Amino acid sequence: MRRQVVIIGSGPSGLLLGQLLHRIGIDALILERSSKEHVLSRVRAGVLEEGTVGLVRATGLAGRLDAQGLRHDGIEFAFDGQRHRIDLHELSGGKRVVVYGQTELTADLMAGREAVGAETVYEAADVMPHGFDTDTPYVTYVHGGVTHRVDCDFIAGCDGYHGISRRAVPAGAISTFERSYPFGWLGLLAEVPPVSHELIYASHPRGFALCSMRSPTRSRYYVQCDGDEKVENWSDQRFWDELRRRLPADAADAVTTGPSFEKSIAGLRSFVAEPMRFGRLFLCGDAAHIVPPTGAKGLNLAASDVHYLFEALREFYGERSAAGLDAYSPRALARVWKAVRFSWWMTLLLHRFPDASPFAEKLRATELDYVTTSRHAAAALAENYVGLPY
Ligand code: APR
Ligand code: PHB
């Protein structure tokens, strides 16, 4: 079998890239380790930058996103019993974000891919990229007990942090940078109206809390928890009590509680692998970098990687120029590191660190005061939150 591009992974990175390539007649096969149902069962974040929305529109599959996505012009920071609004729209010169669940986006992209008959092999086992340091790369995988080989021009490693693509690169050719944070986020999804029409990021002596949403009738909440906390220890009642304790009184009073239909704990980490290109293998999205969710940047960074890689492939096939491919890694990494910095900064600003000195806590309180009272500081926050330009 031969394809122009083999994409490993059917998360948002792989699906976005696959659809953009399909639209310009570049033939790509997606190989996904899990089943479709498993991919669609994963609950992830839900804040889309305008650039991400633009990319989804370019796939021709933004119908539901445009109809149901919630446009947000601001966010709130809550601390010391007070709520402070950051006017993202005004401070960023007219930009906004759209709240739309990543799971929904994945479902839209998968349905679009099926509708045009583009192929995804689900439950592809032992996927392995080969020969990417030559001009004749190929990928092998096992499906239904049979080993297959696909020859191609390029391999896109869109297989997330635990994927094979990054691990297939010889150790000496890759540098990694990492920081883990000594806490996690316990998230809960419930069919209840959100506490407010915008997101509330709350910093409290008991820890961080976030009020987010998926729709006008579905809420997504998080509370900071210990890194080794177990989800079984958290009844819905305990979660709601803890959430309300960390919010200012008026917000706490406005929380509508109800039974959860998803509850899970995720650790917080920053991770970057450099470079993002190895010959004819290109890493994209979580395969190359992880950010803590505080800045809502994970999905948006995957989208900007896809943007750069898609433009590079378009240029290669359209103009026979490798300039975009050569520039992919430095271009993507420049934007990645800015989002890593922003996500780290938001994480430090809003969380309780178990080992924080009194001095560090004073500085953190001062930073919160500064960012909510200085127009310049708030503008820097807004510029990053709505998304830096590609
Ligand atoms: N072979 C084939 N597929 C694989 C392999 C493998 N060895 N390993 C992982 N995969 C698949 C996973 O099952 C998953 O469906 O690759 C996909 C990777 O998807 P994501 O982890 O969602 O990563 P990505 O597409 O880069 O999405 C961006 O940013 O912060 C996040 O939550 C955000 O998931 C989002 C991500
Ligand atoms: C979410 O809705 O899941 C969400 C929103 C904002 C974040 C992180 C997660 O910063």
Side-chain angles (χ1 to χ4, degrees), residues 77-84 201-204 248 350 365 368-369 371-372:
F77 277 3
F79 54 94
D80 293 342
Q82 303 291 322
R83 295 163 66 173
H84 306 260
Y201 289 84
S203 184
H204 186 273
L350 294 165
L368 269 172
D369 177 30
V371 81
T372 49

Coordinates of all heavy atoms in Angstrom, one line a residue, residues 77-84 201-204 248 350 365 368-369 371-372:
F77 N -11.3 36.1 37.4 CA -10.4 35.6 38.4 C -11.1 35.9 39.7 O -11.6 37.0 40.0 CB -9.0 36.3 38.4 CG -8.1 35.8 37.4 CD1 -8.4 34.8 36.5 CD2 -6.8 36.3 37.3 CE1 -7.5 34.3 35.6 CE2 -5.9 35.8 36.4 CZ -6.2 34.8 35.5
A78 N -11.1 34.9 40.6 CA -11.8 35.1 41.9 C -10.8 34.8 43.0 O -10.1 33.7 43.0 CB -13.0 34.1 42.0
F79 N -10.6 35.7 44.0 CA -9.7 35.4 45.1 C -10.1 36.4 46.2 O -10.7 37.5 45.9 CB -8.3 35.5 44.8 CG -7.8 36.8 44.1 CD1 -7.4 37.9 44.9 CD2 -8.0 37.0 42.7 CE1 -7.0 39.1 44.3 CE2 -7.6 38.2 42.1 CZ -7.1 39.2 42.9
D80 N -9.8 36.1 47.4 CA -10.1 36.9 48.6 C -11.6 37.3 48.6 O -12.0 38.5 49.0 CB -9.3 38.2 48.6 CG -7.8 37.9 48.9 OD1 -7.5 36.8 49.4 OD2 -7.0 38.8 48.5
G81 N -12.4 36.4 48.2 CA -13.9 36.6 48.3 C -14.4 37.6 47.2 O -15.6 37.9 47.2
Q82 N -13.6 38.0 46.3 CA -14.0 38.9 45.2 C -13.8 38.3 43.8 O -13.0 37.5 43.6 CB -13.1 40.2 45.2 CG -13.1 41.0 46.6 CD -14.4 41.6 46.9 OE1 -15.1 42.1 46.0 NE2 -14.8 41.5 48.2
R83 N -14.7 38.8 42.9 CA -14.5 38.4 41.5 C -14.0 39.5 40.7 O -14.5 40.7 40.8 CB -15.9 37.9 41.0 CG -16.4 36.6 41.7 CD -17.9 36.4 41.5 NE -18.2 36.0 40.2 CZ -19.5 35.7 39.8 NH1 -20.4 35.5 40.7 NH2 -19.7 35.4 38.6
H84 N -13.1 39.3 39.8 CA -12.5 40.3 38.9 C -12.6 39.9 37.5 O -12.1 38.8 37.1 CB -11.0 40.5 39.2 CG -10.8 40.8 40.7 ND1 -10.5 42.0 41.2 CD2 -10.7 39.9 41.8 CE1 -10.3 41.9 42.5 NE2 -10.4 40.7 42.9
Y201 N -11.9 31.4 37.2 CA -10.6 30.8 37.7 C -10.5 31.3 39.2 O -10.2 32.5 39.4 CB -9.4 31.2 36.9 CG -9.4 30.6 35.5 CD1 -10.0 31.2 34.4 CD2 -8.6 29.5 35.2 CE1 -10.0 30.7 33.1 CE2 -8.5 29.0 34.0 CZ -9.2 29.5 32.9 OH -9.1 29.0 31.7
A202 N -10.6 30.4 40.1 CA -10.6 30.8 41.5 C -9.3 30.3 42.3 O -8.9 29.2 42.1 CB -11.8 30.2 42.3
S203 N -8.7 31.2 43.0 CA -7.5 30.9 43.8 C -7.9 31.1 45.3 O -8.4 32.2 45.7 CB -6.4 31.9 43.4 OG -5.2 31.5 44.1
H204 N -7.7 30.0 46.0 CA -8.2 30.1 47.4 C -7.2 29.4 48.3 O -6.5 28.5 47.8 CB -9.6 29.3 47.5 CG -10.3 29.3 48.8 ND1 -10.0 28.4 49.8 CD2 -11.2 30.2 49.3 CE1 -10.8 28.7 50.8 NE2 -11.5 29.8 50.5
P248 N -16.0 32.7 45.8 CA -16.7 33.8 46.6 C -18.1 33.5 46.8 O -18.8 32.7 46.0 CB -16.5 35.0 45.6 CG -15.4 34.6 44.7 CD -15.5 33.2 44.5
L350 N -2.3 30.7 40.2 CA -3.6 30.4 40.7 C -3.6 29.2 41.7 O -4.6 29.0 42.4 CB -4.5 30.0 39.5 CG -4.8 31.2 38.6 CD1 -5.5 30.8 37.3 CD2 -5.8 32.2 39.4
A365 N 0.2 36.5 45.7 CA -0.9 37.4 46.0 C -0.7 38.7 45.3 O -1.7 39.3 44.8 CB -1.1 37.6 47.5
L368 N -1.5 38.4 41.6 CA -2.9 38.4 41.4 C -3.5 39.8 41.4 O -4.3 40.2 40.6 CB -3.6 37.5 42.4 CG -3.8 36.0 42.1 CD1 -4.3 35.2 43.3 CD2 -4.8 35.8 40.9
D369 N -3.1 40.5 42.4 CA -3.5 41.9 42.6 C -3.1 42.7 41.4 O -3.9 43.5 40.8 CB -2.9 42.5 43.9 CG -3.3 43.9 44.1 OD1 -4.4 44.3 43.7 OD2 -2.5 44.7 44.7
V371 N -2.3 41.7 38.3 CA -2.9 41.4 37.0 C -4.4 41.8 36.9 O -5.0 42.0 35.8 CB -2.7 39.9 36.7 CG1 -3.7 39.0 37.4 CG2 -2.8 39.6 35.2
T372 N -5.0 42.0 38.1 CA -6.4 42.4 38.1 C -6.6 43.9 38.3 O -7.7 44.4 38.3 CB -7.2 41.6 39.2 OG1 -6.5 41.7 40.4 CG2 -7.4 40.1 38.8

